[in-house]
Amino acid sequence: MNIQEKQNILDKIKEYQRIIIFRHKRPDGDAVGSTKGLREILRLTYPEKEIYLINNDFSDYVAFLGSEDEPRDDEFYKDALGIVIDTATTDRISNPQYSLCRELIKIDHHINNEPYGDLLWVEEERSSSSEMIADFYLTFSDELKINKDAATYIYTGMVTDSGRFRFRSVSGDTLRLAGMLLDMGVDLDTLHANLYMKEFHTLKFQAYVYDHLKITENGVVYLHVTREMQDMFSLTYEEASASVSYMESIKNSLIWLAFIDNEDGSTRVRLRSRFVTINSIAEKYHGGGHACASGATVYSEEEASSLIADADERLKEYKANNEGWL
Ligand code: AMP
């Protein structure tokens, strides 16, 4: 299964002296973990090659994993192989200089609406791109080298993108690959402390969220994180965005939405659901994503209200036609 795609990618990596890795804008644990993990594996395996990870924006959340490489001028990219991981569409690639690379590889687990690049390896059913990097290592473990740092980066991507191995996309393979990484010495205590300890002001914000969230007739929970709220609780954009997860376990509410005001006046929408498919709603509002985790953008109160109404209708329909939900 997909062995030929992986083999082609390894062969291409061997052909190049300079390889530059890219990921998506507003990176999450998976985007950072998968790219740093692959960079480490390739550096260990091919010390004579130049392997870089060059992007234009960073994540506070997983900053503890360490730095990436410095920006370079256009000339630097000309003879390089580019590898883009965890990024469904080219407009979401963090570093626009990716287009200057001589050849490009796409490795991703999102729906393949835009199959870009000279070589592609996309597995939509994988729980994370990091899982694919773990699988890539395992497939060629006779040739590739790995260490505890690389294992930690990749495990971080897997644990964060799978909601601590709880999401539907988690398979036996996910856990076997995570087990392989744990055996390489990942320090779970330190990793979990870095990922899940919270600032006190964040917990106060969480309390505020529970006091202010709204619920529709059919059980869609939603929250609007205004610029004022972001200032009031001194929230970073990432902290404000994380509020979507506070709403995930309310009984009877199978869809939950966080509206986070952007600096430019638009509002980011993070859509999440249990059992119910919601990416078609995100697609209607300038977005897209997975069946149960999508993103969108709205540009007015009317558009926000319309999205909420669509989600409410979707949930009503689901509840009328299905049993066994909570
Ligand atoms: P987010 O809430 O931004 O983390 O988005 C959840 C998922 O939806 C991500 O994994 C993205 O793949 C996808 N997504 C978010 N925003 C967009 C967008 N504007 N277009 C397409 N997919 C998106």
Side-chain angles (χ1 to χ4, degrees):
M1 179 182 94
N2 298 306
I3 182 77
Q4 195 54 50
E5 283 159 318
K6 286 183 268 188
Q7 186 64 57
N8 292 344
I9 289 173
L10 185 62
D11 292 344
K12 192 57 77 182
I13 286 169
K14 286 179 187 167
E15 272 177 37
Y16 276 81
Q17 167 61 19
R18 179 176 294 164
I19 297 166
I20 308 174
I21 303 174
F22 307 95
R23 52 161 170 72
H24 61 76
K25 297 172 188 170
R26 283 191 205 147
D28 53 11
D30 189 26
V32 175
S34 59
T35 50
K36 282 183 75 79
L38 183 65
R39 181 181 66 171
E40 192 70 15
I41 289 171
L42 296 183
R43 281 183 173 173
L44 287 166
T45 309
Y46 307 109
E48 71 288 359
K49 290 188 193 289
E50 304 166 56
I51 317 288
Y52 299 95
L53 173 57
I54 308 178
N55 292 286
N56 287 355
D57 57 339
F58 304 95
S59 158
D60 292 337
Y61 177 52
V62 284
F64 65 91
L65 292 179
S67 62
E68 301 186 359
D69 298 305
E70 295 297 316
R72 300 291 186 132
D73 60 21
D74 288 355
E75 190 64 17
F76 189 75
Y77 291 78
K78 196 163 79 7
D79 295 320
L81 170 67
I83 304 181
V84 188
I85 310 180
D86 198 43
T87 312
T89 52
T90 46
D91 63 323
R92 297 201 75 221
I93 301 175
S94 171
N95 178 354
Q97 288 167 303
Y98 81 88
S99 63
L100 303 170
C101 290
R102 192 195 294 166
E103 285 187 281
L104 201 65
I105 295 175
K106 174 183 185 180
I107 300 177
D108 191 25
H109 74 126
H110 297 100
I111 297 163
N112 196 13
N113 285 336
E114 188 192 322
Y116 62 83
D118 301 283
L119 289 177
L120 277 79
W121 173 33
V122 177
E123 288 194 45
E124 294 174 7
E125 68 285 0
R126 289 281 189 185
S127 67
S128 62
S129 294
S130 296
E131 179 181 324
M132 295 174 70
I133 300 303
D135 174 77
F136 186 75
Y137 165 74
L138 181 62
T139 306
F140 304 112
S141 56
D142 288 348
E143 279 185 71
L144 296 176
K145 295 199 172 93
I146 196 165
N147 61 12
K148 182 177 155 182
D149 284 347
T152 301
Y153 304 145
I154 300 167
Y155 186 90
T156 300
M158 291 179 74
V159 72
T160 53
D161 232 38
S162 65
R164 305 187 207 181
F165 303 110
R166 285 181 301 120
F167 296 162
R168 190 158 43 168
S169 52
V170 170
S171 65
D173 222 20
T174 312
L175 297 182
R176 279 185 288 277
L177 290 165
M180 171 189 80
L181 298 170
L182 281 184
D183 287 343
M184 291 165 185
V186 177
D187 175 353
L188 281 188
D189 278 348
T190 305
L191 177 61
H192 289 177
N194 274 305
L195 287 175
Y196 304 121
M197 298 275 282
K198 291 190 173 120
E199 298 288 350
F200 193 40
H201 72 258
T202 310
L203 291 170
K204 286 188 173 163
F205 170 58
Q206 195 165 347
Y208 183 90
V209 165
Y210 290 125
D211 246 2
H212 289 81
L213 45 80
K214 300 205 173 70
I215 183 155
T216 64
E217 189 184 338
N218 293 292
V220 175
V221 179
Y222 63 96
L223 171 77
H224 184 185
V225 188
T226 59
R227 298 291 304 164
E228 293 72 43
M229 279 162 72
Q230 295 179 39
D231 290 343
M232 186 159 74
F233 291 97
S234 312
L235 303 174
T236 63
Y237 185 75
E238 276 183 311
E239 286 170 327
S241 302
S243 59
V244 70
S245 68
Y246 304 162
M247 300 181 277
E248 72 184 2
S249 47
I250 302 173
K251 274 194 178 175
N252 202 37
S253 295
L254 304 179
I255 300 180
W256 55 103
L257 315 168
F259 294 82
I260 300 112
D261 282 350
N262 293 317
E263 272 177 21
D264 67 0
S266 65
T267 300
R268 175 186 186 188
V269 192
R270 306 191 78 193
L271 302 89
R272 299 289 184 272
S273 65
R274 181 167 280 121
F275 310 130
V276 194
T277 299
I278 41 143
N279 53 342
S280 54
I281 300 174
E283 280 160 20
K284 192 172 154 190
Y285 298 90
H286 325 283
H290 306 276
C292 296
S294 298
T297 307
V298 290
Y299 296 91
S300 65
E301 297 252 339
E302 294 70 41
E303 233 185 342
S305 302
S306 165
L307 190 156
I308 294 165
D310 285 348
D312 190 57
E313 187 57 33
R314 174 66 50 85
L315 190 48
K316 180 180 178 184
E317 192 184 293
Y318 181 85
K319 287 181 172 180
N321 295 304
N322 294 276
E323 289 175 356
W325 44 270
L326 294 167

